[in-house]
């Protein structure tokens, strides 16, 4: 006879937090949302850490290099989607790592015989206005000059004009030699009122640039997450098919953490993938696994060596796994069960394995509920797909701006590896839909508002850290009637749309 779980499968919307005592110290400014996202023991401080508990989903319509850069600035992390060629994914990682490295290797370089037309074409590709002119057009050959947007005037400078006629030549550049510290380079930039400082070797070969904007952006984004070389942190999705070819390339490109992207992680395929990574790299490469929805699934992945475990099957807004295959569990119930298993494992072994809640988030307060239920961080797809920085198209549908959003199990994505069970290399049936989400503007504005809501709710609960919220939060199940009571009711809501 099948084994029946007695508890009903619950979602986040069926719970509310009970307020706790708020003392004078419990104000939004004092709330710390930093969180460790890879496993550690009591004496280990090497766990990867984020400043906000938000990561973007491993999806084609969500996480590319542009999203990764924007989210890292705010203190979170993106997992670059893996349903693309190995080289394409690795290149996205390289772009994130090169964006803010203090010393930036030029990705916008031209030859002296290039023209303004070449400058404009390259600018469309890289979106960078500062371009090095080197003797052979490569990033590390002899520097002859620099072109910026101030050196030409579109409509007045002919497109056929060679760059040597309007660039700032080397003998008029202020530059520094390889070996200078970032602090010293920034001092030169400020003293001479420069936007960039070329770094060269003794043979005048270009090594890198230091940009004023990187210094300014650091001051504007105090929460940004950086590695030891002051580059943005970035994650990458992998699968259980081509990991032996993909993982080395992603690590070489600079990925800080990997995650096996699968709709269901309680499988031999995930163990084989982790085993191979541990055999080749030991514990130096961090890799998360999932997704699971109960204690057995967590224990399996924990013992397999996962650095974090992802929870959730069928709860995503574009996921139809539950109605297609009849598997899954309400996200709240799954998370509570797995978090309990995580705590048991910690008591037994002294090793803490962070839990990532993936799916089921409809409202911002659901994020706070997920944290209170034991999640160390939350993975979001639909939430981030709405922003300017997501890779999908922005369209007008029925008079409203929307962005395209499709599931990895949809025919559009064709990400069969995510649903791989060791069979044919194809997607037999869909487990996701192709859809639109309302356009919401910039990531920065929305994330700032979400973070304020999370911090405010935590203050209402009398908590100033995620750990304290997990230990002290009080939650209650709500009835269908009380859910209705929680929204606007028994009134006529005014139409605040000023455009009508």
């Amino acid at each position: 006879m099948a084994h029946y779980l007695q508890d009903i499968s619950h979602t986040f919307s069926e719970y509310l937090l009970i307020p706790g005592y708020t003392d004078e110290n419990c104000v939004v400014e004092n709330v710390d949302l930093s969180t460790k996202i890879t496993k550690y023991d009591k004496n280990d401080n090497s766990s990867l850490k984020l400043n906000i508990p938000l990561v973007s989903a491993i999806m084609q319509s969500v996480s590319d290099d542009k999203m990764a850069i924007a989210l890292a600035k705010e203190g979170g992390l993106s997992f670059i989607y893996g349903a693309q060629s190995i080289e394409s994914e690795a290149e996205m990682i390289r772009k994130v790592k090169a964006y803010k490295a203090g010393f930036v290797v030029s990705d916008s370089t031209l030859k002296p015989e290039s023209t303004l037309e070449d400058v404009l074409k390259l600018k469309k590709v890289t979106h960078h206005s500062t371009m090095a002119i080197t003797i052979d057009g490569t990033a590390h050959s002899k520097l002859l000059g620099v072109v910026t947007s101030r050196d030409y005037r579109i409509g007045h400078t002919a497109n056929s004009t060679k760059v040597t006629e309007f660039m700032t030549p080397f003998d008029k550049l202020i530059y520094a030699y390889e070996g200078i510290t970032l602090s010293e380079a920034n001092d030169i930039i400020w003293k001479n009122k420069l936007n960039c400082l070329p770094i060269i070797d003794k043979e005048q070969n270009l090594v890198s640039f230091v940009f004023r904007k990187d210094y300014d952006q650091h001051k504007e984004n105090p929460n940004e997450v950086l590695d030891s070389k002051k580059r943005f942190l970035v994650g990458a999705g992998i699968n259980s098919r081509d990991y032996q070819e993909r993982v080395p390339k992603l690590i070489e490109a600079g990925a800080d953490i990997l995650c096996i992207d699968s709709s269901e992680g309680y499988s031999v395929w995930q163990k084989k993938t982790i085993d191979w990574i541990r055999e080749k790299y030991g514990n130096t490469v961090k890799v998360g696994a999932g997704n699971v929805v109960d204690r057995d699934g967590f224990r399996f992945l924990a013992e397999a060596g996962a650095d974090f475990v992802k929870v959730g099957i069928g709860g995503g807004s574009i996921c139809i796994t539950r109605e297609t295959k009849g598997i899954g569990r309400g996200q709240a119930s799954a998370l509570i069960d797995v978090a309990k298993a995580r705590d048991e494992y910690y008591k037994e072994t002294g090793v803490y394995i962070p839990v990532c809640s993936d799916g089921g988030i409809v409202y911002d307060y659901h994020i706070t509920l997920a944290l209170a239920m034991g999640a160390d961080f939350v993975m979001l797809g639909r939430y981030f797909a709405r922003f300017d920085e997501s890779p999908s198209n922005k369209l007008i549908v029925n008079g409203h701006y929307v962005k395209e959003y499709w599931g990895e199990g949809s025919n559009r994505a064709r990400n069969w590896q995510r649903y791989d069970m060791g069979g044919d290399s194809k997607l037999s049936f869909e487990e996701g839909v192709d859809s639109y989400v309302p356009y919401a503007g910039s990531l920065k504005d929305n994330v700032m508002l979400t973070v304020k809501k999370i911090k405010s709710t935590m203050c209402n609960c009398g908590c100033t850290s995620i750990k304290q919220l997990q230990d002290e939060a009080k939650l209650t199940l709500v009835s269908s009637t009380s859910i209705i009571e929680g929204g606007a009711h028994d009134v006529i809501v005014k139409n605040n749309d000023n455009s009508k």
Side-chain angles (χ1 to χ4, degrees), residues 138-179:
T138 62
H140 296 298
S141 59
K142 187 175 181 179
L143 180 64
L144 303 180
V146 172
V147 169
T148 72
S149 57
R150 294 180 298 178
D151 293 321
Y152 57 86
R153 188 177 177 188
I154 297 175
H156 288 72
T157 306
N159 281 7
S160 59
T161 306
K162 289 190 175 182
V163 292
T164 50
E165 295 184 32
F166 58 85
M167 71 181 185
T168 303
F170 181 79
D171 59 4
K172 292 186 178 180
L173 289 173
I174 295 174
Y175 54 86
Y177 285 102
E178 187 177 17

Side-chain angles (χ1 to χ4, degrees), residues 223-293:
N223 269 343
E224 62 185 8
V225 286
L226 307 174
D227 65 16
S228 60
K229 297 180 180 178
K230 297 186 182 299
R231 304 176 300 178
F232 286 134
L233 295 183
V234 60
I238 61 174
N239 62 69
S240 56
R241 280 276 182 156
D242 67 6
Y243 57 87
Q244 295 185 26
E245 295 79 34
R246 188 175 293 266
V247 170
K249 294 293 186 181
L250 302 183
I251 297 303
E252 181 184 354
D256 297 284
I257 185 170
L258 308 174
C259 183
I260 304 172
D261 182 28
S262 175
S263 65
E264 200 278 299
Y266 191 4
S267 76
V268 66
W269 315 115
Q270 295 225 352
K271 185 179 186 306
K272 285 185 175 183
T273 304
I274 297 171
D275 285 346
W276 183 87
I277 291 173
R278 293 290 174 249
E279 181 179 348
K280 185 172 178 63
Y281 298 99
N283 291 317
T284 60
V285 170
K286 306 301 182 183
V287 55
N291 287 16
V292 298
V293 293

Side-chain angles (χ1 to χ4, degrees), residues 360-374:
I361 302 293
V362 180
Y363 305 108
D364 285 351
Y365 83 88
H366 286 172
I367 299 173
T368 318
L369 281 172
L371 298 174
M373 291 173 179

Side-chain angles (χ1 to χ4, degrees), residues 107-108 122-130 213:
D107 69 347
S108 301
L122 184 57
K123 186 176 180 180
K124 283 184 178 181
V125 174
T126 65
H127 305 292
H128 296 155
S129 58
T130 299
K213 64 174 183 156

Side-chain angles (χ1 to χ4, degrees), residues 312-464:
I313 294 177
S317 60
I318 40 70
C319 184
I320 55 172
T321 294
R322 294 182 193 173
E323 61 185 76
T324 302
K325 297 168 67 175
I327 65 167
R329 194 176 189 185
Q331 187 66 11
S333 295
L335 181 56
I336 292 168
D337 197 9
V338 171
K340 182 179 178 182
R342 184 266 320 278
D343 294 342
E344 291 174 355
Y345 188 84
Y346 179 54
K347 288 179 181 178
E348 292 174 18
T349 66
V351 176
Y352 186 94
I353 300 179
V355 165
C356 172
S357 180
D358 176 19
I361 302 293
V362 180
Y363 305 108
D364 285 351
Y365 83 88
H366 286 172
I367 299 173
T368 318
L369 281 172
L371 298 174
M373 291 173 179
D376 297 280
F377 58 109
V378 176
M379 179 173 280
L380 303 161
R382 181 194 61 85
Y383 176 88
F384 287 114
R386 303 172 300 149
F387 303 150
D388 289 318
E389 294 80 1
S390 74
S392 65
N393 294 319
K394 178 182 172 185
L395 308 169
I396 296 179
V397 176
N398 296 327
H400 298 282
Y401 281 108
V402 298
K403 293 209 72 173
E404 294 179 300
Y405 180 46
W406 60 94
E408 290 300 290
S410 67
N411 268 322
R412 179 172 183 173
R414 305 300 298 175
N415 185 6
W416 63 268
Q417 295 95 334
R418 189 175 196 274
Y419 304 87
D420 179 32
M421 291 186 289
D424 295 336
S425 301
K426 64 180 182 179
L427 189 69
S428 299
F429 52 87
E430 290 186 282
E431 292 188 46
V433 299
D434 196 346
S435 65
Y436 302 115
V437 288
Y439 168 68
S442 75
L443 178 145
K444 185 178 184 67
D445 292 342
N446 284 276
V447 167
M448 285 179 62
L449 179 59
T450 296
V451 166
K452 285 181 181 178
K453 289 180 181 179
I454 295 170
K455 289 183 174 182
S456 179
T457 303
M458 288 174 62
C459 286
N460 291 143
C461 295
C463 301
T464 56

Side-chain angles (χ1 to χ4, degrees), residues 455-495:
K455 289 183 174 182
S456 179
T457 303
M458 288 174 62
C459 286
N460 291 143
C461 295
C463 301
T464 56
S465 71
I466 293 173
K467 180 66 169 62
Q468 186 182 10
L469 183 69
Q470 291 172 343
D471 291 342
E472 300 179 11
K474 295 182 289 184
L475 297 101
T476 181
L477 276 167
V478 296
S479 68
S480 58
T481 304
S482 65
I483 292 174
I484 296 171
E485 180 187 58
H489 59 90
D490 301 316
V491 294
I492 300 173
V493 179
K494 294 180 180 179
N495 184 352

Side-chain angles (χ1 to χ4, degrees), residues 213-224:
K213 64 174 183 156
D214 287 346
Y215 179 87
D216 293 339
Q217 286 177 356
H218 175 66
K219 298 303 179 183
E220 293 172 4
N221 302 293
N223 269 343
E224 62 185 8

